[in-house]
Amino acid sequence: MEALERLVKKLTEVSSPSGREEGIRQAILEELEGHIDGYRVDKLGNLIVWKAGTSGKKILLDAHMDEIGVVVTNIDDHGFLKIDRVGGMSPYTVFQKRLRFGNVLGIVGVEGETSEELQSNIQKMSFEKLFVDIGARNREEAEKLCPIGTFGTFDSYFYSSGDIMVSKSMDDRIGCAVIVEVFKRLAKPRHSIFGVFAVQEEVGLIGAHVAGYDIEPDVALAIDVTGVGDTPKGLKRVPMALGKGTCIKVKDAYSISDRKMIEKLKELAEKYNISHQMEVLIYGGTDAAGYQTTKSGIPSATLSIPTRYIHTPSEMVDKRDVEATIELTIRYCEEGLE
């Protein structure tokens, strides 16, 4: 397995939903050992790393390290769990999937005593109708394994074939992998480069709103995934596609990227023949919106990796797009503030 695949496999298979990012934070630190000048963990749990430059200017690179998940809300007398979403998760996506709660596995079912009731509940799915079977025989046994308040994620594994990589939590562990690779490949940067691996993006850009507060960077560049329109009946207003390069975001539902940053990213992509696409996303948002509203405002933009099946156990990316994102990020670190 090549180095990039190995890194992505390691990061995506860690279970760390929003608010429970300790595991992925440790995995990222292990990968960055020997490639950073220092790091700290702030009060919310954001991991902030850096390489010192000499120009006096600072570039902040951001990728959120949390993933969507579920949380146990109740347990019935027979030991079945009731759950709610943590982040943007559809009940249809969760149904009949395996969930991991620490070392405990559960299967998600839907309530229904007769075939007619079962069919009706499937057609009108909601978290109220779902239950999780962890094999417990009663409430007491289930409470020992998964007490109320326990967080879970999809139980999914990494798979690659040719240029395609598939796993849970590509959103946004693939962005984390990009920043890790940037720090590994940047030898002696002119500008100081800060990497922020942010917490709780999936529940409201929580980490980003505070991560840049004391760094006060000149610019912030978020690295995240974006939706695509290249599947059957894909949205016609969304032109992004796998295999066509990194996406330079113009806007999404949460923010409009800084014009100067967009122009510079496009200029560098053309100068170095880096495959790229222009992105206007009609939904969603990234941590760039959080940095734009930090203190008196930080000029911000986003580079996106086109991704199919976002917020499912099988998010799909193309290695060529990931490499293009790494290369353009490095070029921006070297020449972006000229």
Side-chain angles (χ1 to χ4, degrees), residues 226-291:
T226 189
V228 294
D230 63 350
T231 54
K233 295 188 178 180
L235 292 172
K236 293 181 173 58
R237 288 186 292 160
V238 178
M240 294 81 75
L242 264 65
K244 293 186 177 180
T246 188
C247 298
I248 301 172
K249 185 187 292 286
V250 177
K251 74 171 294 292
D252 55 33
Y254 283 69
S255 68
I256 298 173
S257 296
D258 180 79
R259 176 183 287 184
K260 290 182 180 179
M261 293 182 70
I262 294 172
E263 291 173 350
K264 190 64 177 181
L265 287 164
K266 186 176 180 181
E267 173 193 319
L268 290 169
E270 292 172 351
K271 177 180 178 181
Y272 292 104
N273 296 316
I274 301 170
S275 58
H276 63 285
Q277 312 170 59
M278 300 307 296
E279 174 194 354
V280 178
L281 191 64
I282 60 177
Y283 51 85
T286 75
D287 275 345
Y291 293 108

Side-chain angles (χ1 to χ4, degrees), residues 297-311:
I298 300 168
S300 303
T302 301
L303 281 180
S304 307
I305 298 95
T307 305
R308 291 178 185 163
Y309 322 120
I310 293 174
H311 286 193

Side-chain angles (χ1 to χ4, degrees), residues 186-230:
L186 265 178
K188 296 180 179 179
R190 259 188 329 122
H191 311 306
S192 293
I193 309 300
F194 288 81
V196 174
F197 300 91
V199 299
Q200 298 189 52
E201 187 267 358
E202 296 291 0
V203 293
L205 318 182
I206 304 301
H209 278 293
V210 302
Y213 201 84
D214 57 347
I215 299 172
E216 293 188 303
D218 293 275
V219 295
L221 182 63
I223 313 294
D224 210 330
V225 300
T226 189
V228 294
D230 63 350

Side-chain angles (χ1 to χ4, degrees), residues 125-139:
M125 191 76 74
S126 71
F127 276 91
E128 185 64 29
K129 297 176 180 178
L130 296 179
F131 64 85
V132 182
D133 185 351
I134 59 172
R137 291 169 290 188
N138 51 54
R139 182 195 298 271

